[in-house]
Amino acid sequence: PMGRCTKSGMDGRTYEMTVLQILPPAVEPLSLPDLKQHLRIETTDEDDLLTALIVAARSHVETVTGTILIAQQFRQFLDDWPSGEVVLERYPVLSLDSVQIFDEDGEPQSLPADQIYLDGISRPCRLVLREKPVSGVPINGIEIEFTAGHGATSVDVPATLRRAVLELASHWYEFRGAVAPHQQPVSVPASFTALIQPPKSFHL
């Protein structure tokens, strides 16, 4: 999956920014056996369909909540550095893997780790750099690779979001004869909205 947006650079001009998934999750937040048990399915005839529904449900939860569930690696391209901090377009960020700029010959140069500060918990996640070396390439001359998600396994994902994936996949299974997994979401169950609501703030 790839996303695009625009940001203001140091010179005040607007630049395109692209985010590309380069490594998908190794596992899903909901296992096939757990979904089959929930649906009381004992045969293997529909395993491929159920697996596709899990992937589609996880992707939809990530889209509507703006939260990556299972660890995935992303590459964010910048035309130019923004005037302030660098916003990472996925949340939460587990690790910063590399920051590279390309010189006029198109050769990558890695920025030292001690020049970069990551805040992977705030929303949005952000980077602060001691220096912002100028790229010699006018388009996509800066590449930031990072790993986002709550963790590498399903138990790292908040229970409410795992439940949301289960509710969604189960609901879509009911419409399996009319709507393919890649055509979802056509509808969502009433319980789904409550599960993905952010927690309320309490003031003493």
Side-chain angles (χ1 to χ4, degrees):
M2 181 173 64
R4 296 180 66 85
C5 63
T6 58
K7 297 290 182 181
S8 296
M10 292 189 293
D11 59 3
R13 294 166 57 196
T14 299
Y15 292 89
E16 290 286 338
M17 185 186 65
T18 302
V19 182
L20 177 68
Q21 182 197 62
I22 58 175
L23 189 63
V27 298
E28 294 294 336
L30 173 65
S31 71
L32 177 61
D34 285 345
L35 178 58
K36 291 176 69 173
Q37 181 180 20
H38 179 74
L39 294 170
R40 295 184 173 88
I41 296 174
E42 297 181 354
T43 66
T44 60
D45 297 347
E46 296 181 297
D47 281 6
D48 289 346
L49 169 64
L50 293 169
T51 299
L53 288 173
I54 291 171
V55 173
R58 185 257 305 160
S59 179
H60 185 66
V61 170
E62 290 177 335
T63 297
V64 298
T65 63
T67 302
I68 302 300
L69 303 188
I70 295 289
Q72 304 165 46
Q73 194 172 29
F74 295 90
R75 180 178 295 142
Q76 184 164 320
F77 301 87
L78 302 175
D79 292 343
D80 187 25
W81 298 110
S83 55
E85 62 195 16
V86 179
V87 173
L88 298 178
E89 298 296 326
R90 296 294 183 270
Y91 169 87
V93 173
L94 290 168
S95 66
L96 179 66
D97 303 322
S98 69
V99 178
Q100 293 184 324
I101 62 168
F102 290 81
D103 61 24
E104 294 180 353
D105 296 323
E107 294 296 326
Q109 308 293 329
S110 296
L111 273 63
D114 60 3
Q115 299 293 309
I116 309 167
Y117 300 90
L118 168 67
D119 177 2
I121 301 175
S122 296
R123 191 161 189 168
C125 303
R126 57 214 174 125
L127 296 179
V128 175
L129 295 89
R130 287 182 181 272
E131 298 181 4
K132 295 177 178 178
V134 178
S135 169
V137 180
I139 299 176
N140 293 334
I142 302 166
E143 292 185 2
I144 303 170
E145 290 191 6
F146 60 94
T147 300
H150 285 280
T153 67
S154 62
V155 297
D156 298 316
V157 179
T160 54
L161 296 182
R162 293 202 311 271
R163 184 70 188 187
V165 175
L166 174 64
E167 294 283 343
L168 204 54
S170 301
H171 179 75
W172 289 347
Y173 178 74
E174 297 178 6
F175 296 90
R176 62 193 181 281
V179 182
H182 70 274
Q183 295 174 310
Q184 296 289 0
V186 172
S187 66
V188 297
S191 57
F192 177 76
T193 302
L195 286 167
I196 64 171
Q197 291 297 320
K200 294 181 179 180
S201 299
F202 293 90
H203 301 281
L204 299 179

